[in-house]
Amino acid sequence: MDNATDVRVRFAPSPTGPLHIGGVRTALYNYLFARSLGGKMILRIEDTDSQRFVPGAEDYINESLAWLGIGIDEGVREGGPYAPYRQSERSAIYRKHVDELLAAGKAYIAFDTPEELAAAREATPNFQYDASTRLKMRNSLSMPAEEVEKLIADGVQHVVRFKVEPGETVVVNDLIRGEVKINSDILDDKVLFKSADNLPTYHLANIVDDHLMKISHVIRGEEWLPSAPLHVLLYRAFGWEDTMPKFAHLPLLLKPVGSGKLSKRDGDKLGFPVFPLEWHDPKSGEISSGYRERGYLPEAVVNFLALLGWNPGDDSELMDVDTLTSKFSLEHCSKAGAKFDYKKGLWFNHEYLMRTPDDKLAELFVPILKEKGVEADPEYTAKALGMVKQRAELLPDLWEQADFFFKAPETYAEKDVRKRWNKDTPAIMEELIGVLEGIDDMSSANAEKIVLDWIAGKGYHLGNVMNAFRLAVVGACRGPHMFDITELMPREEVVRRIRRAIEVIPVPAEK
Ligand code: GLU
């Protein structure tokens, strides 16, 4: 292996709901790994569990990966030499492989009903269907061949179980964790196939497809590590040890505070999404928030996720996808869980907003403007956003900061009015209108000089005049440099706003 072109990885989600952010990280690491070695990235949909299938989940997966720029070389949509890439369309392939194991005596047929299994569990503490119990159960190892044949011919439901040989040491060589050894005694005879829906279980389908699709590396979440010994035994049973993929089990994503695995509840509690895109649950109607809809930039999410379980070996933090690709290696993935520091995610987003050219920001801002019922010239929008972006973490923060560029204030911050609007203010604002109208060149520095000279010449209080000016134009004492605002905003609009403020802000009786 390690011939670059042989590198083939797969992301193999089950469409049982929205893709969790941990799954997105798994996809990203597979993508970076493949890209860093000139390999191929495969997307396989593992939908053999018909009970857990959720409509819309597959589209959601595709749309999430597309939004994040995680490119797929072979998959359901892309096609490829090993199609179909949706497991529910490959049942004949699995059936053939199950029959092969049955013929070789490496698997057997079991007829135990759910009630019988429950009774066995009841009767024996820590019951496990394995070498120590299988002969007491109803299966093709314990029953005469004719009876087995008859039951099958009668259409009695059954499963195929893997025959785990006891007392063997199973070694999983993990590129992140090193050698993981277990004794096969702890494994049960896992169900590989169910006659009820004529479909395999995850374990069988996963192994058969990894083999047939020539997967070189299995990079997946730590939660799959307990399945790995069984997978190794399955490779052996099929005689595929020589082409067995290398394993790399990624560390867990941990709660931002406290201990344990990151959950949706942590997100709900602390106010961050755990899904890439907003998800509308088709059954409950519940809506879960997504990074995209919250106003994160996909590049920022990618950068943030890349560092949750991997480090570049130096202290670089801001890395675009090309840099991440060039630096990525499994050796630098950690075993220890990665705390999901969502505040760091906000920091990344801020940094990416700062690096996004203003005209691009204006494009991303169009949906927000639309939602607010505002139409604006793209160039004007770009300049306005450029002035406020240093104060924004998420796209909607840009509206919080720049709203006044697009809408005249309807109310005026009470506290600022109390502090800055006194009985002389209306007259001074009238005068200011005259000063502004007399300026030829409204560029920031020029207008500033003229207005400040006028204030000084009249002996007015600089802070009060400038803040009243700001209050009239912005609606509160906030926002970028006042003369940058008036350089961009049409003068008629500035004047109109001052006039309206004079009209509507009540003058205090005595001040
Ligand atoms: N279908 C499994 C999942 O939902 C795949 C696990 C694996 O990558 O082997 O994550």
Side-chain angles (χ1 to χ4, degrees):
M1 179 76 39
D2 294 337
N3 175 350
T5 52
D6 292 341
V7 167
R8 292 175 55 81
V9 295
R10 87 300 195 270
F11 178 52
S14 299
T16 53
L19 185 57
H20 188 270
I21 200 73
V24 176
R25 186 203 50 178
T26 299
L28 175 65
Y29 281 28
N30 274 283
Y31 172 72
L32 293 175
F33 180 74
R35 234 179 143 220
S36 69
L37 294 171
K40 291 266 190 286
M41 166 81 168
I42 289 109
L43 176 67
R44 186 171 72 222
I45 298 296
E46 302 211 320
D47 58 347
T48 58
D49 189 346
S50 43
Q51 307 273 311
R52 297 183 58 215
F53 178 81
V54 172
E58 187 184 313
D59 285 342
Y60 181 94
I61 292 165
N62 282 307
E63 205 183 326
S64 300
L65 299 181
W67 179 63
L68 290 160
I70 299 176
I72 302 298
D73 298 303
E74 297 171 25
V76 172
R77 293 190 175 180
E78 297 72 13
Y82 303 99
Y85 291 89
R86 202 184 272 123
Q87 288 189 327
S88 57
E89 293 164 21
R90 301 171 62 82
S91 54
I93 299 171
Y94 307 125
R95 180 73 248 183
K96 178 177 153 264
H97 284 87
V98 168
D99 289 342
E100 209 179 284
L101 289 183
L102 283 171
K106 292 179 175 166
Y108 59 92
I109 292 166
F111 297 97
D112 317 274
T113 61
E115 294 74 33
E116 286 164 346
L117 289 170
R121 268 183 231 114
E122 183 98 351
T124 319
N126 304 322
F127 172 82
Q128 179 167 280
Y129 208 120
D130 62 15
S132 69
T133 57
R134 61 170 81 108
L135 291 179
K136 292 178 217 138
M137 305 301 289
R138 293 181 53 236
N139 54 52
S140 58
L141 301 175
S142 64
M143 293 156 68
E146 312 78 68
E147 196 183 334
V148 171
E149 268 160 40
K150 181 165 185 318
L151 288 175
I152 294 175
D154 289 350
V156 172
Q157 283 196 5
H158 56 272
V159 298
V160 176
R161 284 182 182 271
F162 187 46
K163 191 169 163 226
V164 176
E165 300 301 338
E168 274 184 46
T169 303
V170 189
V171 182
V172 179
N173 273 309
D174 188 288
L175 294 172
I176 298 174
R177 280 148 219 280
E179 250 186 22
V180 180
K181 279 191 194 163
I182 64 128
N183 188 296
S184 65
D185 288 356
I186 67 163
L187 300 176
D188 63 339
D189 290 354
K190 273 273 175 308
V191 171
L192 300 179
F193 203 88
K194 296 186 202 139
S195 71
D197 50 12
N198 203 30
L199 281 172
T201 57
Y202 152 73
H203 302 288
L204 182 97
N206 187 270
I207 288 320
V208 167
D209 284 346
D210 281 349
H211 173 73
L212 295 178
M213 296 179 181
K214 298 202 164 45
I215 298 304
S216 63
H217 295 76
V218 167
I219 304 169
R220 61 184 172 190
E222 178 176 309
E223 62 275 28
W224 301 99
L225 186 59
S227 303
L230 169 69
H231 295 182
V232 170
L233 288 179
L234 277 166
Y235 277 106
R236 251 197 243 164
F238 281 115
W240 297 334
E241 298 99 312
D242 293 349
T243 56
M244 186 163 77
K246 292 188 173 143
F247 291 102
H249 288 93
L250 303 174
L252 283 180
L253 291 183
L254 304 175
K255 294 181 184 306
V257 281
S259 55
K261 221 174 111 184
L262 173 71
S263 72
K264 178 162 155 19
R265 280 203 21 232
D266 300 313
D268 293 343
K269 212 165 57 194
L270 297 166
F272 62 88
V274 297
F275 301 119
L277 314 179
E278 196 168 273
W279 167 255
H280 297 239
D281 190 287
K283 258 206 212 125
S284 66
E286 190 199 346
I287 298 176
S288 306
S289 73
Y291 279 83
R292 182 179 64 184
E293 290 72 12
R294 276 289 178 87
Y296 284 80
L297 300 174
E299 301 82 3
V301 176
V302 161
N303 194 158
F304 167 53
L305 287 181
L307 288 166
L308 289 174
W310 168 81
N311 71 78
D314 54 38
D315 54 14
S316 344
E317 287 195 298
L318 284 166
M319 289 168 278
D320 63 14
V321 72
D322 291 335
T323 312
L324 289 169
T325 302
S326 66
K327 293 188 179 235
F328 191 82
S329 76
L330 291 173
E331 289 84 68
H332 277 126
C333 288
S334 68
K335 271 189 270 204
K339 248 194 197 325
F340 194 82
D341 183 358
Y342 68 99
K343 289 195 179 136
K344 191 80 197 203
L346 288 169
W347 176 82
F348 272 110
N349 209 61
H350 169 73
E351 292 298 323
Y352 276 84
L353 279 182
M354 290 300 288
R355 282 161 181 73
T356 305
D358 295 343
D359 56 341
K360 178 87 208 300
L361 272 188
E363 269 171 42
L364 294 169
F365 199 62
V366 168
I368 295 180
L369 286 178
K370 214 176 242 161
E371 188 195 306
K372 304 287 179 189
V374 172
E375 251 178 72
D377 167 59
E379 216 174 297
Y380 178 85
T381 306
K383 285 192 180 141
L385 299 184
M387 274 186 232
V388 303
K389 66 181 178 182
Q390 67 272 23
R391 293 188 185 84
E393 287 179 324
L394 302 172
L395 283 170
D397 299 343
L398 292 171
W399 173 262
E400 305 280 305
Q401 299 293 335
D403 56 348
F404 64 89
F405 277 111
F406 307 98
K407 274 175 103 170
E410 279 155 18
T411 57
Y412 301 90
E414 228 177 276
K415 183 175 116 275
D416 297 329
V417 168
R418 227 180 300 125
K419 190 155 170 219
R420 302 296 186 177
W421 202 271
N422 56 46
K423 70 176 194 339
D424 304 327
T425 310
I428 297 175
M429 289 298 111
E430 275 300 346
E431 231 184 285
L432 172 63
I433 292 174
V435 173
L436 293 172
E437 281 177 336
I439 301 176
D440 292 333
D441 167 15
M442 279 301 286
S443 63
S444 183
N446 188 57
E448 176 168 13
K449 185 173 178 317
I450 293 171
V451 172
L452 296 194
D453 282 354
W454 159 71
I455 294 174
K458 292 285 177 135
Y460 294 148
H461 183 284
L462 176 69
N464 281 353
V465 176
M466 285 308 297
N467 278 293
F469 183 14
R470 184 178 284 282
L471 196 50
V473 175
V474 175
C477 291
R478 62 171 170 94
H481 185 53
M482 196 56 215
F483 296 99
D484 289 350
I485 298 175
T486 53
E487 176 178 324
L488 178 63
M489 202 179 278
R491 182 166 20 197
E492 318 81 76
E493 177 63 18
V494 174
V495 167
R496 202 179 305 132
R497 289 185 187 193
I498 300 175
R499 287 234 158 86
R500 181 164 186 274
I502 295 171
E503 234 171 76
V504 306
I505 301 181
V507 178
E510 205 42 63
K511 206 171 178 185

